[in-house]
């Protein structure tokens, strides 16, 4: 039925016409998008597959409780316990520094003084820092801390990671705080909140899902970093006994062991990679979950 | 919170030079000479008394400054940096714009319901309990929350989902939640800026009944575009208009009087024309 007859008869034709040009272009384009999506996910899944295939076999309790073999441990024993602890401790130190500073910074940028010179400068630097080569964070902390303290340490490693986490947390916290509608702040003031109460009782609780999302993403990113730890925490074959000594981490263990000529170490590097990916994945998923709780 | 002040105390207060609350007719007396937003003169020459235990309605064409005047009664306009008031607003005899007055305390005594529903992103229960916690309420919070929700005509709809986020309610329910939140703390005066513009006729009736009930204990000032609503609830009505003669758009109070009188027999030409337009 042509358009003209449809108009004449008064009943527009609404049935599907699969052979029509518009329908065909639509089909072709959708198919194209699917193919591209599959191609894009091939590297991702092949990495995951390889990690599970090569590293999955070694997952056992001793992996978490034992130290890595120092030289040629040909029996295949040994674990990565100290590297897991080192990564967790250093990411913890970095979080301790960057979460409070970042959230308060985001509050200043998004709410307290969004147009001040301080805020504009901070925002600019933070945006620049998100694209900062991570190895420079390591070099910076090496120069500022490691040389002064005369030792590589977990503290230096944590500070190096915090340099990378801070901009992400500041910028996401700013966005989250900005998303709190003015109406809600008006309501708080109207109820007789002081400006401080407005922030603590209304703005922060409302923005918390967004802030947490940013924190989780920053933590996931930091856990996977190796460059900032290279010059700051170095590595260690022993259990950590203080925060002021060279400290092992998963990412540096992978870096070191994957280039060794021994089978046991190479296998451990694969397993460590799998564990690291799982840690990063968990924080990414957590960020999704807390982010979704928004109403 | 009906004030029953015993005669002896009244006598004592009088001797001490304090006017007892029960003898003040007006809860709020606004003497606005000029209100500016930056250079823009928004309202001029408006004297308004919000009488105790009564409902005062503000009517008038859009942009005539009803919200502006209402928001200056509890210093909500402090949030707007370019806002400037010349004149005075007294609340139970105290000038709320005096330098020694804490605007936070003013707002705790003079509550506000906004035109757009604005519940907090927290549970329905916590929304209503918010002001109670803020004021460190000593009584039973849960009872007070239920009572406030009942008065706002929302209890039956939400009693099974008090833990749900307030933002999950419909627009009209949200507005009644905001009303419950505002009355939970028993403010002396309640300011309402077009509280029913988001409500359907049934919810509107509920809110109107609530207002009539509230005025036994509180004082209410309400901005409304709905002339029938003004006639149904307001004891006193204030009619504002816009003066466009001098190039600007400055609002001012044309006349104020008992609602019946103002609607049936307005003294001013402007009022008569406006009402004629509204009812034609
Ligand atoms: N924050 C503000 N900054 C600058 N001008 C403002 C501000 N708020 C209101 N005005 C101006 O003040 C005048 C009065 O506004 P107001 O909101 O009080 O009017 P209204 O009578 O409440 O109107 P409506 O019935 O449409 O709500 C208007 O000309 C408006 O443009
Ligand atoms: Mg208005």
């Amino acid at each position: 039925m042509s358009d003209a007859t449809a108009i004449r008869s008064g009943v527009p034709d609404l049935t599907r016409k699969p052979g029509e040009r518009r329908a065909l272009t639509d089909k072709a384009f959708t198919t194209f998008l699917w193919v591209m999506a599959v191609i894009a996910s091939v590297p991702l899944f092949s990495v995951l597959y390889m990690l599970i295939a090569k590293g999955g076999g070694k997952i056992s309790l001793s992996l978490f409780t034992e130290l890595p073999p120092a030289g040629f441990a040909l029996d295949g024993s040994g674990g990565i316990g100290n590297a897991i602890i080192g990564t967790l401790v250093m990411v913890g130190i970095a979080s301790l520094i960057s979460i409070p500073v970042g959230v308060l910074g985001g509050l200043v940028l998004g709410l307290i003084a969004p147009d001040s010179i301080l805020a504009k400068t901070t925002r600019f630097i933070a945006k620049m820092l998100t694209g900062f080569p991570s190895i420079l964070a390591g070099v910076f902390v090496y120069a500022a801390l490691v040389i002064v303290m005369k030792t590589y340490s977990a503290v230096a490693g944590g500070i190096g990671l915090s340099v990378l986490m801070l901009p992400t947390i500041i910028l996401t916290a700013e966005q989250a705080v900005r998303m709190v509608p003015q109406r809600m702040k008006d309501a708080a003031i109207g109820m007789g909140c002081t400006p401080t109460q407005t922030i603590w009782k209304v703005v922060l609780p409302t923005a918390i899902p967004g802030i947490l999302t940013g924190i989780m993403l920053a933590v996931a990113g930091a856990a996977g970093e190796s460059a900032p730890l290279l010059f700051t925490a170095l590595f260690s074959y022993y259990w950590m006994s203080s925060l002021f000594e060279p400290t092992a981490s998963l990412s540096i263990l992978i870096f070191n062991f994957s280039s060794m000529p021994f089978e046991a170490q190479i296998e451990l590097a694969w397993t460590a990679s799998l564990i690291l990916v799982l840690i990063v994945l968990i924080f990414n998923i957590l960020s999704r979950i807390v982010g979704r709780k928004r109403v | 919170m009906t004030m029953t002040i015993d005669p002896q105390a009244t006598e004592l207060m009088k001797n001490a030079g304090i006017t007892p609350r029960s003898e003040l007719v007006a809860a709020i007396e606004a003497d606005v000479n000029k209100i500016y937003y930056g250079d823009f003169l928004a309202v001029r020459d408006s004297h308004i008394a919000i009488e105790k235990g009564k409902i005062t309605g503000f009517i008038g064409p859009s942009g005539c400054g009803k919200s502006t005047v209402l928001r200056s009664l509890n210093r909500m306009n402090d949030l707007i940096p370019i806002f400037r008031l010349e004149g005075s607003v007294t609340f139970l005899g105290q000038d709320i714009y005096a330098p020694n007055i804490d605007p936070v305390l003013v707002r705790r005594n003079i509550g506000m319901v906004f035109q757009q529903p604005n519940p907090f992103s927290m549970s329905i229960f916590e929304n209503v309990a918010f002001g109670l916690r803020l004021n460190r309420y000593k009584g039973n919070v849960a009872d007070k929350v239920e009572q406030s929700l009942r008065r706002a005509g929302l209890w039956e709809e939400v009693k099974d989902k008090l833990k749900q986020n307030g933002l999950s309610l419909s627009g009209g329910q949200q507005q009644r939640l905001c009303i419950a939140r505002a009355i939970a703390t028993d403010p002396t005066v309640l300011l309402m800026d077009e509280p029913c513009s988001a409500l359907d006729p049934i919810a509107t009736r509920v809110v109107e009944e609530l207002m009539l009930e509230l005025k036994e204990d509180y004082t209410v000032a309400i901005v409304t575009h709905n002339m029938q609503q003004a006639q149904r609830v307001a004891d006193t009505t204030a009619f504002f208009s816009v003066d466009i003669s001098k190039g600007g758009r400055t609002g001012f109070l044309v006349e104020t009087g008992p609602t019946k009188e103002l609607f049936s027999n307005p003294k001013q030409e402007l009022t008569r024309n406006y009402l004629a337009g509204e009812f034609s």
Side-chain angles (χ1 to χ4, degrees):
Chain A
M1 206 195 293
S2 76
D3 286 356
T5 44
I7 289 168
R8 235 176 288 125
S9 68
V11 182
D13 180 10
L14 302 175
T15 53
R16 267 184 213 281
K17 290 167 215 67
E20 224 182 35
R21 212 184 122 136
R22 188 171 50 85
L24 287 179
T25 341
D26 187 45
K27 270 253 156 52
F29 193 63
T30 311
T31 318
F32 173 71
L33 285 184
W34 272 107
V35 171
M36 283 326 215
V38 170
I39 292 176
S41 54
V42 164
L44 184 69
F45 281 102
S46 41
V47 167
L48 263 184
Y49 172 77
M50 196 156 65
L51 285 181
I52 293 171
K54 299 220 182 193
K58 268 210 97 165
I59 288 189
S60 64
L61 190 63
S62 63
L63 189 74
F64 299 93
T65 56
E66 283 178 26
L67 289 173
F72 350 59
L74 295 174
D75 56 349
S77 69
I80 51 172
N82 65 339
I84 294 176
I85 289 179
T87 289
L88 293 180
V89 167
M90 287 191 283
V91 170
I93 291 173
S95 303
L96 236 49
I97 299 168
S98 58
I99 292 174
V101 177
V103 172
L104 293 180
L107 268 178
V108 174
L109 262 55
L111 183 70
I112 296 167
D115 298 318
S116 62
I117 297 195
L118 174 76
K120 283 182 177 154
T121 320
T122 312
R123 199 176 294 124
F124 177 73
I125 294 177
K127 278 187 183 153
M128 215 173 64
L129 274 179
T130 49
F132 199 56
S134 57
I135 193 150
L136 291 188
V139 173
F140 162 70
V141 177
Y142 178 77
L145 216 70
V146 176
I147 293 183
V148 178
M149 289 170 64
K150 297 196 182 67
T151 173
Y152 298 98
S153 64
V155 171
I159 292 175
L161 293 180
S162 75
V163 174
L164 295 177
M165 287 174 67
L166 198 54
T168 312
I169 296 180
I170 288 187
L171 293 175
T172 45
E174 179 192 359
Q175 281 313 315
V177 166
R178 272 180 193 276
M179 301 262 285
V180 178
Q182 183 61 40
R183 285 189 276 142
M184 241 180 243
K185 296 176 215 162
D186 283 354
I189 305 279
M191 292 298 297
C193 283
T194 62
T196 314
Q197 286 170 328
T198 306
I199 291 175
W200 285 110
K201 290 175 190 281
V202 174
V203 176
L204 267 186
T206 310
I208 215 88
I211 294 176
L212 282 180
T213 306
I215 289 176
M216 294 304 165
L217 287 177
V219 167
E225 278 292 350
S226 56
L229 300 178
L230 219 48
F231 307 118
T232 53
L234 206 67
F235 191 68
S236 156
Y237 283 92
Y238 307 103
W239 293 108
M240 179 189 245
S241 63
S242 95
L243 296 177
F244 300 96
E245 58 182 27
T247 306
S249 59
L250 284 170
S251 49
I252 302 291
L253 182 138
I254 296 165
F255 177 78
N256 284 348
F257 283 16
S258 57
S259 54
M260 282 192 177
F262 314 117
E263 194 60 32
Q265 268 90 338
I266 291 178
E267 256 178 36
L268 274 182
W270 281 113
T271 317
S273 307
L274 184 62
I275 301 286
L276 190 55
V277 166
L278 288 181
I279 292 178
V280 171
L281 201 66
I282 286 172
F283 278 103
N284 270 309
I285 292 173
L286 280 182
S287 81
R288 286 292 185 115
I289 293 173
V290 293
R292 197 158 354 110
K293 269 179 117 175
R294 214 189 304 252
V295 178
Chain B
M1 240 186 36
T2 343
M3 293 310 264
T4 43
I5 297 177
D6 77 310
Q8 216 176 341
T10 313
E11 202 53 40
L12 279 173
M13 285 169 83
K14 267 194 189 152
N15 292 341
I18 304 164
T19 324
R21 279 173 99 171
S22 61
E23 291 204 351
L24 288 163
V25 192
I28 296 182
E29 208 160 331
D31 206 350
V32 174
N33 282 333
K34 292 186 167 71
I35 294 179
Y36 289 97
Y37 288 113
D39 294 334
F40 173 63
L41 177 62
V43 181
R44 65 169 172 82
D45 310 315
S46 303
H47 182 104
I48 272 205
I50 312 291
E51 283 172 64
K52 249 200 239 171
K54 297 221 170 123
I55 301 179
T56 305
F58 291 18
I59 60 170
S62 187
C64 65
K66 306 178 296 291
S67 300
T68 300
V69 170
L70 193 77
R71 290 163 59 93
S72 50
L73 302 185
N74 74 339
R75 295 194 59 172
M76 267 314 279
N77 279 329
D78 287 21
L79 301 184
I80 303 166
I82 54 171
F83 167 85
R84 203 171 84 244
L85 175 120
E86 284 175 15
S88 69
V89 177
T90 55
F91 169 55
L92 299 174
Q94 308 180 70
D95 181 359
I96 61 168
Y97 282 90
N100 63 338
I101 295 288
D102 183 354
V104 166
L105 296 178
V106 171
R107 295 183 204 117
R108 288 196 189 174
N109 284 285
I110 307 178
M112 181 137 204
V113 175
F114 297 76
Q115 179 168 358
Q116 296 289 326
N118 52 4
F120 298 127
S121 176
M122 50 182 84
S123 73
I124 293 170
F125 184 92
E126 284 304 323
N127 260 288
V128 185
F130 187 89
L132 300 173
R133 302 208 197 284
L134 199 63
N135 290 297
R136 299 179 201 287
Y137 181 64
K138 294 291 185 316
N140 185 326
V141 173
D143 286 350
K144 194 75 186 172
V145 168
E146 175 175 344
Q147 182 203 344
S148 309
L149 283 169
R150 274 190 196 284
R151 300 181 84 176
L154 190 61
W155 176 252
E156 289 303 323
E157 285 154 79
V158 301
K159 64 178 182 212
D160 299 322
K161 49 178 184 181
L162 291 172
K163 286 212 167 70
Q164 264 183 35
N165 195 300
L167 292 170
S168 64
L169 297 174
S170 78
Q173 290 173 325
Q174 288 188 12
Q175 186 65 310
R176 280 176 284 153
L177 179 63
C178 293
I179 293 172
R181 179 179 68 189
I183 60 176
T185 52
D186 294 326
T188 316
V189 179
L190 190 60
L191 308 175
M192 305 174 109
D193 193 349
E194 299 185 43
C196 301
S197 58
L199 302 185
D200 68 70
I202 294 173
T204 300
R205 283 308 173 110
V206 171
V207 172
E208 286 177 7
E209 268 156 36
L210 166 74
M211 280 187 259
L212 292 172
E213 181 201 322
L214 281 180
K215 74 171 181 179
E216 319 240 304
D217 306 327
Y218 312 96
T219 303
V220 179
I222 173 178
V223 172
T224 176
H225 268 136
N226 181 330
M227 295 301 126
Q228 281 78 17
Q229 178 168 62
Q231 284 175 293
R232 283 194 296 261
V233 299
D235 300 295
T236 306
T237 300
F239 172 65
F240 289 81
S241 189
V242 202
D243 184 356
I244 42 176
S245 58
K246 288 168 209 134
R249 290 184 55 86
T250 300
F252 64 102
L253 178 70
V254 178
E255 70 175 294
T256 164
T259 303
K260 278 216 184 70
E261 224 171 288
L262 187 122
F263 276 91
S264 59
N265 188 17
K267 292 192 181 62
Q268 300 289 327
E269 184 76 32
L270 275 169
T271 319
R272 212 167 306 140
N273 291 344
Y274 182 72
L275 294 178
E278 282 290 327
F279 287 105
S280 61

